[in-house]
Amino acid sequence: MHYLGKGFSLWLATGLLAACGMFATTPPPDTRPPLPTYDQVASIRAAGDREKSIIDVNPLRDPGITALQDAAQREEQAGKYADAAAKLDQALKLNPDSPDLLQERAEMAVRLKDFSAAEKLAHKSWSLGPRLGPLCARNWQTIVEMRMQARDRAGAETARKWVGQCHKAGIPRY
């Protein structure tokens, strides 16, 4: 009888486990857009390169800030994104309202996967900048990329429209 009890217990436990599997639910498919798998910073910079607006503001630079920007660029090329960000942070201490520095720092935030900071920095750069031309396009493309990173398709489409508004056509001359 003792052997029959163990066999019955084993049979009962196996049956209960099998029954649990019958009611297992599979998670619903993810309908959100996929996360970007390309180099988002390259996409941001390409938006600025494509922008051939009549307006292209290039502020005069302090040599100390230029040296920090150059050092940050070298650090980025070496893959040392945190070091590049630190150099840009130093430059921002010298000139905290510089739209181009803010945008460069936003791009480093993307490299560091600090997407919230990247979007805030790009928006601040836009609000302080010329709101036209290549820098404007980089600002809004950063926001496009960050909205895509957040899987916010509607927000990305809205930001994409703003990228187009950065263009100021020249006057046709005949």
Side-chain angles (χ1 to χ4, degrees), residues 15-32:
L16 288 173
L17 285 173
C20 289
M22 288 178 19
F23 299 107
T25 59
T26 57
D30 192 357
T31 58
R32 298 178 299 177

Side-chain angles (χ1 to χ4, degrees), residues 65-79:
I65 291 174
T66 301
L68 288 166
Q69 284 178 294
D70 292 345
Q73 186 177 26
R74 286 190 300 275
E75 297 289 2
E76 180 188 7
Q77 289 170 347

Side-chain angles (χ1 to χ4, degrees), residues 23-151:
F23 299 107
T25 59
T26 57
D30 192 357
T31 58
R32 298 178 299 177
L35 290 173
T37 57
Y38 52 87
D39 183 349
Q40 292 176 296
V41 173
S43 179
I44 292 164
R45 291 176 181 164
D49 291 342
R50 281 191 305 271
E51 177 52 49
K52 302 299 181 205
S53 185
I54 191 82
I55 305 285
D56 187 3
V57 178
N58 291 307
L60 296 175
R61 273 282 157 237
D62 175 290
I65 291 174
T66 301
L68 288 166
Q69 284 178 294
D70 292 345
Q73 186 177 26
R74 286 190 300 275
E75 297 289 2
E76 180 188 7
Q77 289 170 347
K80 297 177 181 178
Y81 305 133
D83 293 341
K87 297 278 190 290
L88 292 170
D89 288 341
Q90 285 179 308
L92 281 166
K93 285 180 184 173
L94 299 172
N95 192 355
D97 292 333
S98 170
D100 58 323
L101 283 174
L102 288 163
Q103 179 57 35
E104 288 177 32
R105 184 59 179 87
E107 292 165 9
M108 272 315 101
V110 173
R111 293 261 190 239
L112 293 168
K113 301 190 183 322
D114 188 353
F115 303 124
S116 176
E119 188 167 346
K120 288 175 189 169
L121 287 161
H123 201 276
K124 184 175 181 182
S125 172
W126 178 80
S127 69
L128 294 170
R131 298 184 184 190
L132 290 170
L135 180 61
C136 173
R138 285 171 54 204
N139 297 151
W140 282 104
Q141 187 63 38
T142 302
I143 296 168
V144 167
E145 298 298 333
M146 296 307 92
R147 293 291 83 221
M148 290 174 63
Q149 189 67 42
R151 296 180 173 183

